Structure formats: structure tokens, C-alpha cells
Amino acid sequence: AWNIITVNNKSYHVDITYMLTSACSTKRNYNCFNVSDKKCAELKHDWDRRLYPSCFENDDSIRELMARELKIPLIETDSDFIRVSKQMIADRKTEILLVLKDTTKSVDYNLNHYLKLFGDALDELGVYARYTLNTSIEYVLNFKVKYK
């Protein structure tokens, strides 16, 4: 079921039930959030445009909005990932959440790649810890860290 929401005076199409469909994977997927009229029409949805506000291409992706609203670092490059991880490890954070800005262009979305980078960051700081990576929300890395 599609809805139109307004965030910061900008309107967007949103289908909050999209991730509940049988075709959806077990990961939370936000592809149907912050959608423009153009994309909504491409998805074969029809509505009387005279009755609803126009929804244009968004300046901010759902990833950028999530990072900003939840105050989670937005990662654009491997060097961003390493820098932010080291700072959070140095601060002894036990949960480290990072949002990947664009998994298709700016960041190589390979979980083993990020596990290795995180382990390297721990090693460089001389910190011993056990850690796990949860990716139940697409493009959000959630490290749980137990320091020794």
C-alpha cells in the first residue's frame, strides 16, 4: 500500500508494506521509501496526480536521512569506514552502527571486506576484542563488540 509522506517540506511515496511481501528477502529493504512520482510510475503504480502533492527526486537518499536522523555515520569510502571505526573503537563503543551511502557505486559492499577492515582497525589500535557483524537492515553495518 503506497502512501505519500512529507519530510522537511518534501513529499515522497512510501510503501511500508513492501518488505512484508513474500518476494522480499529476510533483510529489511528500503527501496520503496522516498520514491519520486517518476519512479512510482515506473513501478506500475497509478494514482490521480491532481489529488496529491508532487513527489520529486529526493535530494537525500533514505540512507542519508537515516544517518542524519539517527546520528549514525554515513560511510562513503573505505577510508571513511576505517577512520570512523577507529574512533569508535578508541571510545570503546560496544555497538557500532554505520550506514553505507551507496552500495553500488562508492563502497564495495562485501561483508568479508568490512569484517577484515574492522579487524585491521582493531589490530592497528592494539585493541583485543570479539566482534560480530549484523546486517539485518540492508546497507547498515551493525558491529557488536566485546572488549577484552
Side-chain angles (χ1 to χ4, degrees):
W2 284 91
N3 297 285
I4 293 179
I5 62 165
T6 302
V7 178
N8 297 330
N9 296 318
K10 296 178 186 177
S11 295
Y12 306 101
H13 293 276
V14 174
D15 180 358
I16 61 172
T17 63
Y18 175 77
M19 67 181 90
L20 301 176
T21 64
S22 60
C24 188
S25 70
T26 56
K27 289 188 178 199
R28 294 183 194 150
N29 181 315
Y30 294 93
N31 293 333
C32 289
F33 282 67
N34 292 16
V35 175
S36 67
D37 286 343
K38 179 182 173 186
K39 182 175 178 187
C40 200
E42 288 171 2
L43 295 170
K44 307 293 185 224
H45 295 286
D46 198 22
W47 67 102
D48 187 343
R49 294 178 187 223
R50 296 170 299 164
L51 300 176
Y52 300 97
S54 296
C55 301
F56 298 99
E57 292 296 323
N58 53 335
D59 297 332
D60 297 328
S61 71
I62 187 66
R63 298 168 187 170
E64 291 167 303
L65 286 170
M66 180 184 288
R68 186 173 54 246
E69 294 300 316
L70 298 177
K71 296 175 178 49
I72 299 171
L74 183 66
I75 303 301
E76 294 189 53
T77 65
D78 283 353
S79 55
D80 285 347
F81 176 88
I82 293 165
R83 177 183 48 77
V84 171
S85 295
K86 283 183 176 180
Q87 182 59 55
M88 292 187 164
I89 291 166
D91 292 343
R92 301 298 248 206
K93 301 285 185 188
T94 56
E95 182 172 38
I96 299 174
L97 289 168
L98 305 168
V99 177
L100 301 176
K101 181 173 182 179
D102 185 342
T103 60
T104 60
K105 295 178 186 166
S106 60
V107 180
D108 174 25
Y109 191 59
N110 176 324
L111 298 181
N112 288 330
H113 176 75
Y114 291 111
L115 283 167
K116 181 181 181 324
L117 288 179
F118 194 78
D120 291 348
L122 285 165
D123 290 345
E124 286 180 32
L125 293 171
V127 173
Y128 298 98
R130 297 182 73 194
Y131 57 93
T132 58
L133 173 59
N134 181 338
T135 58
S136 61
I137 300 176
E138 189 177 30
Y139 61 77
V140 174
L141 302 178
N142 180 358
F143 287 93
K144 302 281 187 179
V145 185
K146 290 184 181 179
Y147 298 94
K148 295 181 179 180

